Amino acid sequence: MTFVSPKLQDNLKLNSAEIAEPRARRLSEKQQELHYATIAAKYEVHYSDPASRDYRWRFIYQPMFAGIDLSGKRVLDAMCGSGQTTEYLLSRKASVTGLDISGEAIETFKSRWPGVQALRRPFFNSDLADSSFDCVAIVGGFHHLHPHVGEGLNEIHRLLKRGGYFCFMEPHAGSLPDVVRRFWYKHDRLFADNEAAIDLQGLENEFGDRFTFRSVKYQGNVAFLLVLNSLIFRIPAGWKPSYAGSLMALEPAISRLQGKLSSCFVVAQWQKR
């Protein structure tokens, strides 16, 4: 029988954990890749139409990037999909890199934005250099990293230059809509098994020494649900032009009355210390 010292046993356990954790992340990312492949065509129809584009510009992108000069800045559009956010970033004169694990999404991205760098790579194995971006933007993709959201923030911190911005929009925990969302996630085939709203307060507690929290805005109500997320509610995309204008007009009025408890998502700006 070979004697193994307690110290070596601890090292072996640590190495096993280090090996298992990347494997778990890869499985999570693969799950999302396969899931997106099953819904990609429908996703494009419902999230790239004019009404959805208008919603994102007004209620997501404008507060998400408010006060930041993006002209000439290197911005990573992470979990970029087919590049909806890239359109806004290019309008602000940013130098954009799109990153997504889905081959189908990246091919659509390349055809839509032929002059923009597009990388089909896993988020946790991007091979992008440390401190290489002025801004990392994620719109509705961060919660797909669950249960590895904290590790995702470590990766974002690595990629950002000092003083760089992490700008994101995500469904958040601790709201009434999230009570419904948790039930829906479990029963709707449009969601992958590992999706869950982000615990913003928990992340702020964990990363408060590495980021400054510049702004947080809770919003999202009728237009978010029935215009932007028409796919989830199985509303035919062709119906949206008939009602989108009215709901978009209601959205800001209702938003003024909302807080964390009643809103559907959070838009935030964090800055690397």
Side-chain angles (χ1 to χ4, degrees):
M1 180 179 295
T2 303
F3 174 74
V4 180
S5 70
K7 183 176 181 180
L8 181 55
Q9 290 179 23
D10 289 341
N11 287 337
L12 289 171
K13 290 178 183 177
L14 178 62
N15 290 338
S16 297
E18 289 172 342
I19 292 169
E21 196 59 45
R23 184 182 295 118
R25 292 197 304 260
R26 287 195 298 271
L27 289 172
S28 180
E29 288 180 321
K30 189 65 177 178
Q31 181 181 21
Q32 284 292 335
E33 179 185 9
L34 294 173
H35 175 69
Y36 182 79
T38 67
I39 65 170
K42 290 182 179 179
Y43 191 95
E44 280 302 303
V45 170
H46 284 266
Y47 287 94
S48 292
D49 64 289
S52 295
R53 176 180 176 272
D54 189 23
Y55 185 92
R56 285 194 301 271
W57 280 54
R58 291 174 58 185
F59 301 111
I60 297 176
Y61 301 149
Q62 289 181 8
M64 206 170 123
F65 299 105
I68 302 176
D69 180 10
L70 295 173
S71 181
K73 299 298 193 297
R74 290 200 67 200
V75 181
L76 178 66
D77 184 359
M79 297 99 164
C80 63
S82 59
Q84 289 95 348
T85 303
T86 288
E87 180 182 17
Y88 179 83
L89 294 170
L90 293 175
S91 77
R92 296 282 301 275
K93 310 300 182 185
S95 174
V96 182
T97 296
L99 176 70
D100 202 285
I101 196 172
S102 167
E104 187 167 356
I106 286 297
E107 287 306 310
T108 305
F109 184 104
K110 288 178 178 178
S111 65
R112 185 172 288 169
W113 311 112
V116 178
Q117 183 182 30
L119 304 174
R120 182 192 178 186
R121 298 177 188 174
F123 180 74
F124 288 109
N125 190 26
S126 67
D127 290 328
L128 293 167
D130 293 358
S131 305
S132 53
F133 290 96
D134 301 289
C135 178
V136 173
I138 299 180
V139 175
F142 203 44
H143 71 286
H144 292 178
L145 296 180
H146 186 80
H148 308 289
V149 174
E151 296 155 64
L153 269 171
N154 286 330
E155 179 67 3
I156 289 165
H157 190 271
R158 180 187 73 81
L159 293 170
L160 282 172
K161 299 176 183 177
R162 184 178 297 275
Y165 296 92
F166 174 38
C167 301
F168 61 96
M169 168 271 187
E170 295 292 336
H172 63 285
S175 69
L176 293 175
D178 189 48
V179 175
V180 178
R181 186 187 292 119
R182 289 199 303 270
F183 175 83
W184 207 314
Y185 279 178
K186 291 179 181 179
H187 296 89
D188 193 334
R189 60 184 175 79
L190 289 174
F191 298 99
D193 291 341
N194 67 319
E195 292 185 47
I198 66 167
D199 177 7
L200 186 64
Q201 185 61 60
L203 293 173
E204 288 177 346
N205 292 339
E206 183 177 354
F207 289 88
D209 59 337
R210 283 177 276 176
F211 288 94
T212 298
F213 310 123
R214 287 174 50 93
S215 69
V216 173
K217 186 173 184 179
Y218 292 100
Q219 55 187 47
N221 48 77
V222 290
F224 173 75
L225 295 171
L226 302 179
V227 177
L228 185 63
N229 287 293
S230 56
L231 174 63
I232 306 304
F233 289 90
R234 274 62 172 188
I235 300 171
W239 292 9
K240 284 206 274 187
S242 66
Y243 68 81
S246 299
L247 296 190
M248 296 272 277
L250 281 174
E251 185 89 357
I254 298 173
S255 290
R256 286 192 287 270
L257 305 175
Q258 289 183 285
K260 179 179 178 179
L261 185 63
S262 61
S263 57
C264 293
F265 65 86
V266 62
V267 177
Q269 281 183 18
W270 292 11
Q271 188 171 24
K272 181 176 175 177
R273 293 179 181 272

